[in-house]
């Protein structure tokens, strides 16, 4: 077998390989996006930790390095109203950790957050016209979606249930990312907050495929060719891979996270909200064990992270991962240790090899 049999995503995005490098805020670099795109996959630039000017600069650098299609990813959450009481409770809960490392628990802290998609980001999209625009946590307001569509960009978003996939299709996406429970980082859920009923990739993908007419991209627990091949068999047109790219030299992650990923097993991760206020999968560490992993004391997303910055910095300086969000999916141990361009190609070729071997038996 020399050719991917389902070309819907390839044709929709104008890419050569059905491999989407996941947009991982804080870890994905311009170099990673460019390398993934040069391999023929879809490189994805996260914007949640950028402002409009930072996004413009990063996207301009990518455009200078490659003419291949790229994806720009945005969060589409609604910032919560101020809740001083919740923040005070959170600071009080973290106070012993501040004292432990010799910091004043009452010292002012910088605000933390993830920037949602807004008119200023949309202006950058209109100016630089990325081929694909993806969203996490549903979609932004309809007026902004219309502006993005007017640029000619293809719009995709993550669904963690069939109901979310159906909602996304009804609201105009060109493809759905079926995000299984195995996936690392923030869950893409937006119609439900119940983590006890979230669905694994094997069960989610075929049910989403049956429920929507648009192409489906499988995500969650896919880190080698076997996972890519399995996604095709389940009806997906392409895959989105995240954790495997964290092992690439182009990734920008703290040394303590790289160390945790290197020794992660299938049962090393858990879903937690203690780092940002929204459920996300990461390698279990001290903060998750002692406060959660799911805690009702954490303030609303994305406001929780600011209070952790000082103690995280102190711990990382001592090579401790106690307060670092060690985002990882459940298949980290399957990841190759190669560059992003080579990884993209190997994921594709090894999937074809798997399918060919199975077809020959």
């Amino acid at each position: 077998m020399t050719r991917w049999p389902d070309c819907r995503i390839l044709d929709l995005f104008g890419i050569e390989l059905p491999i989407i490098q996941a947009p991982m805020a804080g870890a994905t670099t311009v170099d990673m996006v460019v390398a993934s795109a040069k391999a023929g996959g879809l490189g994805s630039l996260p914007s949640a930790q950028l402002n409009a000017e930072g996004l413009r600069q990063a996207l301009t650098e990518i455009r200078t390095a490659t003419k291949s299609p790229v994806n720009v990813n945005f969060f589409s959450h609604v910032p919560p109203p101020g809740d001083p009481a919740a923040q005070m409770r959170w600071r009080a809960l973290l106070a012993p950790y501040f004292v432990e490392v010799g910091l004043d628990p009452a010292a002012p802290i910088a605000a933390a957050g993830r920037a949602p998609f807004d008119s200023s980001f949309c202006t950058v999209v209109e100016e630089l016209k990325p081929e694909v625009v993806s969203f996490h946590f549903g979609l932004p307001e309809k007026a902004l979606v219309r502006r993005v569509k007017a640029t000619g960009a293809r719009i995709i978003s993550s669904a963690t249930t069939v109901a979310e996939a159906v909602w996304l299709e009804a609201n105009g996406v060109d493809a759905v990312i079926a995000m299984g429970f195995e996936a690392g980082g923030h869950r893409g859920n937006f119609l439900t907050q119940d983590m006890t009923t979230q669905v694994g990739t094997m069960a989610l993908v075929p049910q989403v495929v049956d429920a929507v007419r648009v192409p489906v991209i499988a995500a969650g627990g896919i880190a080698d060719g076997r996972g890519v091949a399995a996604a095709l068999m389940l009806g997906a047109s392409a895959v989105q891979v995240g954790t495997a790219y964290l092992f690439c030299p182009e990734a920008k992650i703290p040394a303590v996270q790289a160390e945790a990923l290197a020794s992660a097993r299938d049962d090393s991760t858990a879903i937690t909200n203690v780092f940002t206020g929204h459920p996300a999968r990461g390698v279990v560490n001290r903060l998750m064990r002692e406060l959660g992993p799911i805690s009702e004391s954490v303030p609303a997303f994305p406001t929780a992270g600011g209070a952790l910055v000082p103690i995280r910095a102190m711990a990382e300086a001592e090579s401790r991962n106690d307060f670092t969000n060690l985002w990882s999916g459940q298949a980290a141990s399957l990841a190759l240790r190669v560059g992003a361009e080579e990884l993209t190609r190997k994921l594709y070729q090894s999937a074809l090899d798997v399918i060919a071997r199975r077809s020959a038996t």
Side-chain angles (χ1 to χ4, degrees), residues 236-287:
S237 300
V239 300
Q240 179 170 280
V241 177
T243 302
Y245 282 93
L246 295 178
F247 291 85
C248 298
E250 294 91 347
K252 182 182 179 181
I253 58 175
V256 293
Q257 184 177 4
E259 183 179 1
L261 288 170
S263 59
R265 306 182 308 271
D266 60 324
D267 60 352
S268 294
T269 67
I271 298 293
T272 183
N273 69 341
V274 298
F275 295 103
T276 67
H278 187 89
R281 183 177 293 282
V283 176
V284 175
N285 64 0
R286 179 185 175 189
L287 192 68

Side-chain angles (χ1 to χ4, degrees), residues 3-258:
R3 185 173 181 273
W4 193 248
D6 185 340
C7 294
R8 288 176 294 170
I9 287 294
L10 303 183
D11 294 341
L12 187 66
F13 297 163
I15 56 178
E16 300 173 15
L17 308 183
I19 310 296
I20 300 169
Q21 162 253 311
M24 299 169 288
T28 299
T29 61
V30 165
D31 288 342
M32 181 188 292
V33 177
V34 171
S36 303
K38 284 185 174 179
L42 184 67
S44 302
L45 176 69
S47 68
Q49 294 183 343
L50 301 175
N51 57 25
E53 185 51 41
L55 173 62
R56 180 179 287 106
Q57 179 179 343
L59 194 50
T60 299
E61 290 178 20
I62 293 169
R63 288 300 199 201
T64 300
T66 178
K67 302 305 180 185
S68 299
V70 295
N71 166 37
V72 179
N73 175 258
F74 299 95
F75 283 2
S76 52
H77 63 285
V78 177
D83 191 343
Q87 294 296 331
M88 289 177 65
R89 290 193 297 270
W90 180 229
R91 293 290 298 272
L93 193 62
L94 296 177
Y97 299 118
F98 276 73
V99 173
E100 178 185 309
V101 298
L103 296 175
D104 180 3
I109 58 172
R114 305 293 197 279
F117 188 68
D118 59 11
S119 184
S120 62
F121 277 136
C122 196
T123 298
V124 179
V125 170
E126 291 167 330
E127 175 186 339
L128 296 177
K129 294 181 170 55
E131 289 77 10
V132 182
V133 173
S134 62
F135 294 102
H136 216 48
F137 315 131
L139 292 171
E141 60 184 72
K142 291 183 178 180
L144 290 174
V145 172
R146 287 194 294 269
R147 287 175 61 183
V148 173
K149 279 186 170 290
T151 70
R154 303 299 188 179
I155 295 179
I156 60 177
S157 186
S158 300
T160 66
T161 64
V162 170
E164 289 177 343
V166 171
W167 186 95
L168 289 172
E169 182 181 44
N171 284 273
V173 299
D174 296 292
V176 170
I177 303 166
M179 186 182 190
F181 200 45
E182 301 92 327
H186 285 104
R187 305 295 300 149
N189 58 294
F190 59 94
L191 293 182
T192 177
Q193 298 302 315
D194 187 354
M195 290 298 102
T196 66
T197 58
Q198 289 279 280
V199 190
T201 305
M202 181 69 72
L204 179 64
V205 171
Q207 293 185 78
V208 170
V209 168
D210 289 348
V212 301
R213 294 179 299 276
V214 297
V216 175
I217 300 159
I222 301 171
D224 66 6
R226 291 170 296 180
V228 178
L232 174 68
M233 295 300 103
L234 294 173
S237 300
V239 300
Q240 179 170 280
V241 177
T243 302
Y245 282 93
L246 295 178
F247 291 85
C248 298
E250 294 91 347
K252 182 182 179 181
I253 58 175
V256 293
Q257 184 177 4

